[in-house]
C-alpha cells in the first residue's frame, strides 16, 4: 500500500527535485537577496526559490525605483517616534542596504543614477525646514557632509507651481526597477539557485513547503512574501496598495531627479524623458489596505489634479500606463526579520523603502539560517 502523495511523485523527483538545504518562498527583492546571500556564503548549498507568479507579483517589479533613505519630513517624524538613535539606525540600514545592492549587482546593471532627491514643502509642511540642521548633524557620521539643504532656486527650473519650498538631498538616487530585478534574477541563476515560478505555496512548516502539486522539504524555510504573508503565517501586518503612472509630456520634462511630497505619500521622478508618478494612498487608507491589485479612481483623480496644478502646470500630458503594487506595513517601520515559534524564518513587512532594505533583510535572514543550520 502507498499513500496518495507518493503515488504522485517519482523517485527521481524525490531524490533531486523536491529536497533542498534551504527553500525561500517569494522571488521579490527580499527573497532573491536572501537566496543570493546564502549561496554567496556557502556555494555548496542547494537552494530553491518558489514564486507564485510567472514574474514576481508583489512590490519589487511594480515600485517607483527610488533609491532613497527618507526625506526631511519623514526623518523628522521618525526622530520623534524612534528617538535620535532610532532614526539614525533606520537611515544607516537603508543606506547600507542600497550599497549592498550596488556592490552585488553593479550600478550600471541596475540603472542607478544619483541625480539627487527633493522634497516639495507647502505652507503646512514648511516647518520641516527647522529640522534640517539637527537632522544633518545626526547623519554626519554616515554621509560626512550635509544631507539636506534648501534649494528653492530650482523650483522654477523644474517647472513646479504652488510649491513654496524645495529641500534637496544630493545622496538620493533612482534605479531602473526592471533592470534591478532582472539582474538580481540573473545573478541568482549564475550562483546556481533554482527558481520555480507559477507555483503558489499553500502551506509552510519548519522543514516543508507545500504547493498544490508537491511537498518540498528543506533543512530551513524562509518566507519572504511581504504583503501576502498572512495567508501563510499569522503576523501583525497591513497591506498597502500603491498606484504608479508612467506619463509622456508634450513638452520636454523639466523635472530631473526623485521628488516626494506630503510626507512621502506622493512621489515622482524622471525616467528616460517620462514622468513616473505615484502615491496618494493616504486618501483612502482603509480601502487601500488590500492585497488585491487595482486602481482606486478617487486616488487616480487626485494624481491628475496634482499633475495639472503642481507638477506639470501648463503642460499637456498623457498617461502611457497605470499599475498598482502591494506594500506591507506594521506597527513600526522596522521590517520583520525573525524566526517564528514554529521554526520558520521570516524576512517581510518591508514598507515603502524596500528597494533600499531588501538586500539587507536578505542578508540578515541568511545570517540567521547559516548560524543555526550550516
Ligand atoms: C507602488 C509602489 C511603489 C514603491 N516605490 C518604492 C520606491 O520608490 N523605493 C523603495 O525603496 N521602495 C518602494 N516600494 C516598496 C518596495 O517595492 C518593497 O518594499 C519591496 O519591493 C518589497 O520586496 P519584497 O521582496 O519583500 O516583497 P515583494 O516584492 O512583494 O515580493 C514578495 C513575493 O512573494 C510572492 N508570493 C507571495 N505569496 C506567495 C506564495 N504563497 N507562494 C509563492 N510566492 C508568493 C509574490 O508573488 C511576490 O513576488 C514601492 C512599493 C510599491 C507597491
Amino acid at each position: 500500500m502507498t499513500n496518495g502523495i507518493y503515488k504522485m511523485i517519482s523517485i527521481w523527483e524525490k531524490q533531486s527535485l523536491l529536497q533542498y538545504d534551504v527553500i525561500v518562498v517569494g522571488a521579490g527583492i527580499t527573497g532573491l537577496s536572501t537566496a543570493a546571500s546564502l549561496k554567496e556564503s556557502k556555494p555548496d548549498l542547494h537552494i530553491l526559490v518558489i514564486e507564485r507568479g510567472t514574474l514576481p507579483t508583489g512590490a519589487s517589479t511594480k515600485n517607483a525605483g527610488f533609491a532613497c533613505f527618507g526625506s526631511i519630513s519623514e526623518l523628522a517624524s521618525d526622530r520623534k517616534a524612534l528617538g535620535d538613535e532610532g532614526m539614525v539606525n533606520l537611515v544607516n540600514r537603508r543606506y547600507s542596504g542600497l550599497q549592498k545592492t550596488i556592490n552585488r549587482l553593479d550600478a550600471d546593471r541596475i540603472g542607478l543614477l544619483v541625480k539627487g532627491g527633493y522634497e516639495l514643502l507647502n505652507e503646512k509642511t514648511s516647518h520641516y525646514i527647522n529640522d534640517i540642521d539637527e537632522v544633518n548633524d545626526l547623519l554626519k557620521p554616515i554621509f560626512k557632509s550635509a544631507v539636506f539643504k534648501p534649494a528653492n532656486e530650482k523650483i522654477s527650473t523644474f517647472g513646479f507651481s504652488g510649491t513654496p519650498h524645495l529641500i534637496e538631498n544630493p545622496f538620493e538616487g533612482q534605479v531602473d526597477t526592471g533592470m534591478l530585478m532582472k539582474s538580481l534574477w540573473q545573478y541568482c541563476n549564475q550562483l546556481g539557485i533554482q527558481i520555480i515560478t507559477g507555483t503558489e505555496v499553500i502551506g509552510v512548516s519548519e522543514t516543508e513547503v507545500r504547493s498544490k502539486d508537491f511537498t518540498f522539504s528543506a533543512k530551513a524555510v524562509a518566507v519572504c512574501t511581504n504583503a501576502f504573508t498572512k495567508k501563510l503565517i499569522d503576523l501583525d501586518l497591513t497591506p498597502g496598495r500603491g498606484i504608479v503612472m508612467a506619463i509622456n509630456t508634450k513638452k520636454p520634462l523639466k523635472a530631473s531627479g526623485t521628488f516626494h511630497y506630503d510626507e512621502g505619500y506622493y512621489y515622482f521622478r524622471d525616467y528616460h524623458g517620462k514622468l513616473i508618478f505615484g502615491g496618494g494612498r493616504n486618501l483612502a487608507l482603509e480601502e487601500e489596505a488590500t492585497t488585491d491589485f487595482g486602481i482606486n479612481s478617487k486616488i487616480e483623480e487626485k494624481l491628475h489634479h496634482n499633475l495639472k496644478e503642481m507638477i506639470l502646470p501648463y503642460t499637456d500630458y498623457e498617461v502611457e500606463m497605470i499599475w498598482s503594487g502591494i506594500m506591507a506595513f506594521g506597527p513600526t517601520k522596522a521590517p520583520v526579520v525573525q524566526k517564528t515559534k514554529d521554526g520558520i524564518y521570516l524576512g517581510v513587512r518591508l514598507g515603502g523603502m524596500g528597494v533600499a532594505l531588501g538586500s539587507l533583510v536578505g542578508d540578515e535572514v541568511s545570517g540567521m539560517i547559516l548560524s543555526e543550520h550550516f
Side-chain angles (χ1 to χ4, degrees):
M1 287 292 279
T2 52
N3 72 28
I5 183 73
Y6 288 105
K7 280 189 207 158
M8 298 294 297
I9 64 170
S10 68
I11 189 161
W12 319 117
E13 288 163 337
K14 183 173 174 237
Q15 291 301 120
S16 299
L17 299 167
L18 296 175
Q19 292 183 23
Y20 295 85
D21 291 313
V22 183
I23 298 176
V24 179
V25 186
I29 190 168
T30 310
L32 293 179
S33 299
T34 300
S37 287
L38 284 161
K39 199 76 174 159
E40 282 166 350
S41 299
K42 293 254 174 209
D44 290 342
L45 290 182
H46 294 288
I47 298 175
L48 172 69
V49 178
I50 305 184
E51 165 59 44
R52 64 177 182 166
T54 305
L55 293 173
T57 311
S60 297
T61 54
K62 312 279 188 190
N63 62 50
F66 281 46
C68 57
F69 48 86
S71 64
I72 185 65
S73 66
E74 288 169 303
L75 296 186
S77 310
D78 289 341
R79 195 175 162 212
K80 265 200 194 127
L82 308 168
D84 290 352
E85 208 185 315
M87 183 276 283
V88 174
N89 264 342
L90 207 58
V91 172
N92 213 353
R93 273 165 65 75
R94 290 170 180 160
Y95 197 59
S96 45
L98 281 172
Q99 301 313 311
K100 176 144 194 90
T101 304
I102 296 165
N103 292 340
R104 173 179 277 154
L105 300 176
D106 199 68
D108 287 347
R109 288 184 66 203
I110 62 174
L112 178 73
L113 295 172
V114 184
K115 295 184 178 184
Y118 301 85
E119 180 160 21
L120 290 77
L121 297 178
N122 59 25
E123 300 304 350
K124 227 172 75 194
T125 52
S126 62
H127 62 91
Y128 287 115
I129 294 170
N130 304 327
D131 292 284
I132 289 181
D133 287 345
E134 285 181 15
V135 170
N136 278 347
D137 282 348
L138 289 166
L139 297 182
K140 198 121 193 207
I142 308 174
F143 296 95
K144 313 297 176 220
S145 61
V147 173
F148 298 105
K149 65 168 194 228
N152 291 354
E153 71 285 357
K154 294 191 180 173
I155 295 172
S156 57
T157 316
F158 293 144
F160 302 147
S161 172
T163 299
H165 304 283
L166 198 64
I167 307 300
E168 181 173 4
N169 167 2
F171 295 98
E172 189 165 298
Q174 45 179 285
V175 296
D176 180 319
T177 295
M179 280 173 74
L180 188 157
M181 286 302 290
K182 192 171 179 178
S183 299
L184 184 55
W185 195 284
Q186 283 171 345
Y187 181 73
C188 287
N189 284 339
Q190 279 158 14
L191 290 175
I193 292 161
Q194 181 149 1
I195 305 174
I196 296 179
T197 59
T199 302
E200 175 155 19
V201 168
I202 54 174
V204 285
S205 73
E206 191 173 1
T207 54
E208 279 187 349
V209 171
R210 275 188 299 116
S211 73
K212 187 166 66 64
D213 301 319
F214 291 108
T215 297
F216 300 84
S217 64
K219 292 172 191 138
V221 173
V223 171
C224 301
T225 47
N226 205 33
F228 311 92
T229 306
K230 277 164 80 165
K231 268 195 169 176
L232 298 172
I233 284 166
D234 186 32
L235 191 71
D236 188 355
L237 183 153
T238 308
R241 183 168 63 185
I243 297 180
V244 183
M245 293 172 169
I247 292 160
N248 293 311
T249 51
K250 294 274 173 348
K251 292 187 215 156
L253 185 65
K254 291 182 178 171
S256 169
T258 45
F259 300 84
H260 326 232
Y261 61 93
D262 214 352
E263 301 182 346
Y265 276 110
Y266 293 84
Y267 41 86
F268 58 95
R269 59 172 282 193
D270 63 312
Y271 174 69
H272 296 302
K274 297 178 195 296
L275 185 80
I276 305 289
F277 177 37
R281 198 172 50 87
N282 55 338
L283 278 185
L285 280 176
E286 271 183 38
E287 287 165 59
E288 296 311 289
T290 172
T291 51
D292 294 336
F293 291 86
I295 308 296
N296 182 325
S297 55
K298 188 164 65 177
I299 297 177
E300 189 181 356
E301 246 171 64
K302 174 73 173 162
L303 293 177
H304 280 290
H305 174 83
N306 289 7
L307 281 168
K308 287 175 189 143
E309 297 292 315
M310 191 170 80
I311 304 167
L312 297 173
Y314 324 112
T315 307
D316 290 335
Y317 66 84
E318 57 187 34
V319 177
E320 182 182 322
M321 292 174 74
I322 180 165
W323 65 90
S324 67
I326 317 288
M327 292 168 270
F329 300 96
T332 73
K333 284 200 174 173
V336 177
V337 180
Q338 67 181 49
K339 186 177 173 185
T340 68
K341 62 177 174 23
D342 299 320
I344 298 155
Y345 296 88
L346 292 183
V348 297
R349 221 176 63 192
L350 277 276
M353 280 185 222
V355 170
L357 278 173
S359 54
L360 190 81
V361 169
D363 227 19
E364 291 172 348
V365 175
S366 150
M368 284 196 297
I369 293 173
L370 291 173
S371 70
E372 292 182 28
H373 294 272
F374 303 102

